[in-house]
Amino acid sequence: MIQASDPARLPLRVSCIQFEPLFGAVATNIARASDLIRAAATEGSALIVLPELASTGYVFESEAEAAALSEPVPGGPTTQAWAALAVELGVHIVTGIAERADGGLYNAAVIVGPQGYIGTYRKAHLWDQENVFFAKGDLGFPVFETALGKIGLAICYDGWFPETFRQLALGGAEIVCIPTNWVPMPDQPAGEAAMANTLHRAAAHTNGIFIACADRVGVERGQPFEGQSLIIGPKGWPLAGPASRDGTETLSAVVNLDEAGRKDLNTFNSLLRDRRTDIYG
């Protein structure tokens, strides 16, 4: 296995799959996403990211409905299906899932790879009605050592908090994969690009990391989604996307994760070294 610190690492292809999950149609959503994953793998993608709550849909109407669509991780059928596909194709997959654990429900993301299940992240910052159905994440911001490199996870509204990316960068993350369900922001002008695009480009730049955002599209129970998935390099410039607002698309970019370790901006300035932890509150 190639370790994250191995100087011989080669560039890898990353893909973000943007599609429209159907609410409650878990088997259908898994089948549709699996077809898209297979297509991305055929094109050479080694790391593939799906949207937030990709297997269930997003707009729950009751806690009972959320509970009925949740599953244990990693033993539930959805995680098992993704893990089996990752093993079959020899790829890494990151996807959103409704997790049931310890008597609570979590908006979670799982990462699976060629050897199966790798780990789980639970959304730390809950958006709007999520606070009714889900508990706040309690696993911190883990960074997973994989054969590809050091991978961090975040979900949607987590991206509004600079601390999310700083914690992951300090933990050694080279790329952060973000399953997301972005919605229009308050007072958003018609036709304006998703606020998330600006926030995540800034986060990539200020932490010197790759960020791969896979959003969903469509309208679910009256809630429109933004689309505009994108992949960003460690200097903050888009490598692929933004995608459309309403179409099924797979964005792909070839990245060299070693570039995330190069935090210097010039002779004098380095993003993490220049932090003034002596005067921060």
Side-chain angles (χ1 to χ4, degrees):
M1 176 182 292
I2 299 175
Q3 296 299 321
S5 59
D6 193 324
R9 281 192 301 173
L10 298 174
L12 63 102
R13 185 180 176 94
V14 178
S15 290
C16 289
I17 292 176
Q18 175 173 291
F19 78 111
E20 180 179 3
L22 301 177
F23 187 84
V26 175
T28 299
N29 294 331
I30 291 175
R32 174 62 174 142
S34 295
D35 288 343
L36 295 168
I37 290 170
R38 289 181 185 279
T42 298
E43 294 296 321
S45 293
L47 175 59
I48 301 168
V49 189
L50 297 176
E52 178 180 8
L53 296 170
S55 58
T56 61
Y58 179 81
V59 186
F60 301 104
E61 292 184 340
S62 69
E63 185 175 356
E65 188 175 61
L69 289 168
S70 68
E71 300 178 10
V73 173
T78 300
T79 303
Q80 292 293 303
W82 297 132
L85 187 61
V87 172
E88 175 193 342
L89 299 175
V91 300
H92 288 72
I93 301 169
V94 174
T95 182
I97 188 171
E99 181 192 12
R100 181 170 66 251
D102 304 323
L105 304 179
Y106 295 92
N107 184 341
V110 297
I111 178 170
V112 295
Q115 283 74 49
Y117 171 78
I118 295 172
T120 303
Y121 166 72
R122 293 171 177 166
K123 189 174 183 177
H125 307 94
L126 301 180
W127 175 257
D128 199 20
Q129 291 296 304
E130 291 177 40
N131 287 279
V132 177
F133 310 123
F134 295 114
K136 292 180 179 180
D138 57 0
L139 299 179
F141 295 99
V143 175
F144 300 98
E145 290 267 8
T146 77
L148 302 179
K150 297 178 181 179
I151 300 175
L153 307 183
I155 301 173
C156 200
Y157 186 46
D158 287 330
W160 268 247
F161 297 85
E163 295 88 348
T164 297
F165 299 103
R166 183 51 48 88
Q167 287 292 104
L168 289 165
L170 290 174
E174 297 167 312
I175 185 168
V176 179
C177 297
I178 302 183
T180 186
N181 279 182
W182 294 328
V183 300
M185 288 292 97
D187 302 320
Q188 179 173 317
E192 183 66 44
M195 176 61 71
N197 284 190
T198 300
L199 295 174
H200 289 80
R201 287 183 59 177
H205 175 82
T206 56
N207 292 286
I209 54 177
F210 292 91
I211 298 179
C213 304
D215 196 14
R216 65 159 291 170
V217 293
V219 178
E220 185 178 281
R221 291 178 166 175
Q223 175 63 66
F225 296 93
E226 283 282 83
Q228 303 176 74
S229 303
L230 78 164
I231 301 171
I232 313 160
K235 301 304 183 186
W237 306 115
L239 302 178
S244 69
R245 290 181 182 271
D246 55 10
T248 296
E249 297 183 40
T250 297
L251 296 181
S252 298
V254 175
V255 307
N256 181 349
L257 294 186
D258 286 336
E259 293 177 7
R262 302 166 192 158
K263 307 296 186 184
D264 293 351
L265 296 176
N266 55 48
T267 302
F268 295 97
N269 297 114
S270 179
L271 288 166
L272 298 185
R273 186 190 66 221
D274 288 345
R275 293 180 306 123
R276 289 294 308 276
T277 56
D278 58 319
I279 60 172
Y280 297 156

